[in-house]
Amino acid sequence: MIEQTMEHGLRHNGEYVIINDHKIHIYRAGNKNAPKLLFMSGSGTVAPVYDFKVLYQKLLSDFEVIVIEKFGYGYSDLYNASTDVDSLISYHREALDKAGIDGPFILLPHSLSGLEAIRWKQTYPEEIKAIVGLDMAVPAQYLSWGQEELDKKTKLIIKMQKLHKKGLLFWYPLNKRGLSKDDISQLKLLWKRNGMNDCYIDEARNVLDNAKLVDKTGEVDCPILMFVSDGKQVSANWIQYQNEFAKRNNAKIIQLNCGHYVHYYESDCISDEIKKFIK
C-alpha cells in the first residue's frame, strides 16, 4: 500500500509504505537496471534522505540508490516500534517488499546501523551481495562500553530531548553539503520534528542486547569494504575494533582522515572506491 501525503510543510521526495498502520518513507533513484545500493542511517540522523545525498548523487548513473528511513527518521512516522535488531530488519524487508523493490542488495550502513547490516547478512544471506561500511559500528564497540557507559549516553539523549522540546538546541549542527535551498528548508523542518525523539532513545536502550546477538551469531561471508574515520568523534578504540572486525571477516579497510560522518567529508573518494569495489 503506497500513500503520499504532506504534513506541516514537509514535502517528501520518495514514497510511503504502511507497516503496522504507520508510514515508512523510502527514497529510490538512479539506474534501475544496475546493482542496488541500500543506505542505512546512523543513530539520531534526523533526515537520512538528505544526510546521504552528497554521496549518493555521485552514484546515480552506476547504481540504483535506495534510502530507507526508519520510524522516527526523515519523513517516516514517529512511531515507537520495537527496536530489537531482528524487528528493525523485518521492517526493512517488509517495506521494500511493499514498495516492489527486490534484492539482492549492497548495504551501506553508517554507524549504529552496522549492527543491522551484519545481522541482515547473518539471517538472510541470499538477500545481501556485499556490505560497504560508512564508519559502521561493529559489535565489539558496544560490548566494550558495557551497560553503564551506554546508560550514560542514553541519559544524555534524554537531556538533549528536553532541551530540544524547549527550543534550546538551535545551535545543533546540520549538514548542508550537496543540498539545495529547498532541501535545507526540509532538513530544518525535519530536525524540528524529529530531533532527539523517543525512537532514538529506544534504539539506544536496546543497543547492547543487539550487539550481543550479532556478536554471538558469528562472522559474515560476503565482500565487505569499510571506510573508517579517524575515530576522534566516536571513541579512542574505534579504529582498533574496526581493524579486528575486518581481519576476522576478510574485509578491505580504507582509512580516512576525517570525522565520523565520512560521507560528508570524503564523498568523492568514497564514491570512486565504491565503483571500483563493486565492479
Side-chain angles (χ1 to χ4, degrees):
M1 177 180 181
I2 305 297
E3 181 180 322
Q4 302 272 351
T5 62
M6 290 196 299
E7 168 189 9
H8 308 304
L10 296 176
R11 297 186 303 279
H12 63 83
N13 52 4
E15 59 186 356
Y16 283 129
V17 296
I18 306 302
I19 309 290
N20 293 352
D21 297 321
H22 291 274
K23 300 192 297 291
I24 279 186
H25 181 250
I26 299 177
Y27 172 83
R28 65 191 299 197
N31 183 350
K32 291 189 177 182
N33 297 315
K36 295 178 173 67
L37 304 183
L38 181 59
F39 286 79
M40 305 167 71
S41 71
S43 174
T45 300
V46 296
V49 72
Y50 298 122
D51 181 77
F52 289 122
K53 186 176 180 179
V54 66
L55 174 57
Y56 69 62
Q57 66 185 351
K58 297 173 182 175
L59 298 165
L60 294 175
S61 61
D62 296 275
F63 307 101
E64 181 173 14
V65 165
I66 304 158
V67 183
I68 290 188
E69 298 188 312
K70 294 182 285 189
F71 291 121
Y73 289 75
Y75 293 102
S76 295
D77 280 354
L78 301 177
Y79 167 58
N80 291 101
S82 298
T83 55
D84 65 276
V85 67
D86 286 339
S87 292
L88 292 171
I89 294 166
S90 175
Y91 303 145
H92 294 326
R93 296 177 72 244
E94 185 177 354
L96 290 165
D97 181 62
K98 288 187 173 181
I101 304 173
D102 298 321
F105 304 102
I106 297 162
L107 303 181
L108 284 86
H110 170 62
S111 196
L112 176 63
S113 64
L115 297 181
E116 296 165 38
I118 298 167
R119 182 63 176 166
W120 198 336
K121 180 60 182 178
Q122 289 172 339
T123 311
Y124 304 99
E126 72 284 356
E127 297 179 3
I128 308 303
K129 289 176 67 175
I131 297 173
V132 177
L134 302 174
D135 213 29
M136 74 178 194
V138 298
Q141 184 62 66
Y142 300 115
L143 297 177
S144 72
W145 284 344
Q147 193 62 58
E148 184 176 353
E149 181 64 25
L150 288 165
D151 285 345
K152 290 179 182 177
K153 294 179 182 297
T154 304
K155 288 177 181 177
L156 178 59
I157 299 173
I158 293 170
K159 288 180 181 178
M160 294 180 74
Q161 182 189 65
K162 292 177 181 177
L163 292 174
H164 182 55
K165 287 179 177 179
K166 294 178 180 178
L168 298 176
L169 283 188
F170 52 83
W171 50 267
Y172 196 85
L174 295 173
N175 172 58
K176 299 176 183 177
R177 291 174 176 84
L179 302 184
S180 67
K181 288 183 178 179
D182 187 60
D183 292 340
I184 293 169
S185 174
Q186 289 292 297
L187 177 61
K188 289 178 178 178
L189 289 172
L190 289 168
W191 160 246
K192 184 176 180 180
R193 191 192 76 154
N194 295 344
M196 307 301 164
N197 71 71
D198 288 344
C199 299
Y200 306 162
I201 295 169
D202 289 343
E203 282 184 344
R205 286 175 172 150
N206 262 328
V207 71
L208 186 57
D209 287 341
N210 287 341
K212 288 177 180 177
L213 176 61
V214 173
D215 184 64
K216 179 179 70 174
T217 308
E219 316 310 337
V220 289
D221 182 19
C222 71
I224 304 174
L225 174 62
M226 298 172 65
F227 296 97
V228 180
S229 73
D230 58 20
K232 293 177 182 177
Q233 293 179 340
V234 272
S235 66
N237 51 8
W238 184 263
I239 295 174
Q240 171 195 335
Y241 291 128
Q242 298 276 315
N243 285 325
E244 291 174 358
F245 177 87
K247 186 176 181 179
R248 290 197 310 273
N249 291 275
N250 299 312
K252 177 183 178 180
I253 275 191
I254 295 180
Q255 183 66 57
L256 301 172
N257 185 26
C258 67
H260 181 45
Y261 280 72
V262 291
H263 44 290
Y264 292 179
Y265 309 110
E266 295 287 354
S267 59
D268 286 336
C269 168
I270 292 172
S271 60
D272 288 344
E273 291 293 341
I274 287 173
K275 292 173 187 176
K276 292 178 191 175
F277 174 69
I278 294 175
K279 284 180 180 176

